[in-house]
Amino acid sequence: DAGITQSPRHKVTETGTPVTLRCHQTENHRYMYWYRQDPGHGLRLIHYSYGVKDTDKGEVSDGYSVSRSKTEDFLLTLESATSSQTSVYFCAITPGSTDTQYFGPGTRLTVL
Amino acid sequence: ELKVEQNPLFLSMQEGKNYTIYCNYSTTSDRLYWYRQDPGKSLESLFVLLSNGAVKQEGRLMASLDTKARLSTLHITAAVHDLSATYFCAVDPDSNYQLIWGAGTKLIIKP
């Protein structure tokens, strides 16, 4: 399973509150990604990271920020959650030894 | 705008039948991915296709890539119920692992 965990796995929050999702990997991979999955849209890339303190925006980054202060942790923050950010969030890694992208178990976020 | 289109988006079929899912994309890409997702679960990698004419097979699933036509197919042979899932294709147009995804094909296989 590529050693990826996400926390929390489920969260319900209210509009306007800050939320932080955590992705943790155990194998020191450089490349990490945050996606959101919504019905009819497949997955869409939010932010990605190529190493510690090396992050950049993806396709749908508005309203999200990320941080990576350690190789193993990639944090996704919603500064002020909105109902449009209700989604399932997946973290992924790409090992340097392969082109395959592996996914964490996902976090289901509901913003009321 | 880069588009990745899958069709059909929904497919209901009988066990034992053959069928093909199509993935068209609108720009060049060196990599084409196929994933499987069961309801409420994460995504599982099926195939990574890296060159024109690439063909990979795993059990009853076979994927192929035609980069000139910007088309990949996922062929299911003699379908069984356990293959019921949603299948996604994704491309990597800039070869930097920032994947662009299709909307998914929900496959239901009836006994």
Side-chain angles (χ1 to χ4, degrees):
Chain A
D1 69 354
I4 307 169
T5 58
Q6 292 184 231
S7 58
R9 295 292 313 281
H10 302 270
K11 186 172 181 65
V12 179
T13 191
E14 293 187 350
T15 297
T17 60
V19 176
T20 295
L21 309 182
R22 180 186 185 225
C23 177
H24 179 77
Q25 51 122 341
T26 59
E27 300 183 14
N28 290 320
H29 298 301
R30 283 181 56 200
Y31 303 148
M32 299 185 75
Y33 311 82
W34 276 108
Y35 291 93
R36 63 177 288 173
Q37 183 177 32
D38 304 290
H41 287 278
L43 276 74
R44 292 179 289 177
L45 182 65
I46 306 171
H47 281 278
Y48 58 95
S49 171
Y50 289 163
V52 173
K53 298 183 180 179
D54 183 3
T55 65
D56 209 341
K57 298 178 180 180
E59 179 187 359
V60 291
S61 60
D62 287 349
Y64 302 95
S65 63
V66 290
S67 66
R68 193 166 178 201
S69 58
K70 298 185 290 184
T71 300
E72 59 266 36
D73 288 324
F74 192 28
L75 304 180
L76 177 70
T77 296
L78 292 65
E79 300 290 349
S80 178
T82 67
S83 58
S84 65
Q85 293 175 312
T86 292
S87 187
V88 180
Y89 292 85
F90 286 101
C91 174
I93 60 100
T94 301
S97 58
T98 173
D99 293 306
T100 302
Q101 198 159 105
Y102 296 96
F103 285 81
T107 294
R108 183 173 296 275
L109 176 67
T110 302
V111 183
L112 301 176
Chain B
E1 179 189 356
L2 172 61
K3 291 183 179 179
V4 179
E5 297 182 338
Q6 291 183 234
N7 69 83
L9 297 180
F10 179 81
L11 176 58
S12 179
M13 56 193 292
Q14 296 290 116
E15 276 192 330
K17 301 291 187 182
N18 303 333
Y19 209 80
T20 301
I21 300 170
Y22 297 89
C23 175
N24 291 273
Y25 52 98
S26 60
T27 191
T28 57
S29 176
D30 287 342
R31 302 187 187 97
L32 191 292
Y33 297 77
W34 283 99
Y35 283 83
R36 168 183 172 144
Q37 186 179 38
D38 293 308
K41 302 295 186 181
S42 186
L43 291 97
E44 174 189 356
S45 176
L46 295 174
F47 303 108
V48 182
L49 303 171
L50 298 176
S51 61
N52 187 43
V55 177
K56 290 192 174 181
Q57 183 165 4
E58 181 72 33
R60 300 176 187 274
L61 300 178
M62 183 174 71
S64 66
L65 178 61
D66 181 343
T67 58
K68 294 179 181 178
R70 299 177 184 172
L71 171 68
S72 180
T73 61
L74 181 66
H75 187 74
I76 303 152
T77 301
V80 293
H81 178 68
D82 286 352
L83 291 178
S84 296
T86 298
Y87 293 85
F88 292 93
C89 66
V91 299
D92 184 6
D94 297 323
S95 300
N96 57 8
Y97 305 114
Q98 297 173 37
L99 304 188
I100 308 296
W101 294 75
T105 295
K106 185 172 183 177
L107 176 63
I108 295 176
I109 300 170
K110 300 178 179 179

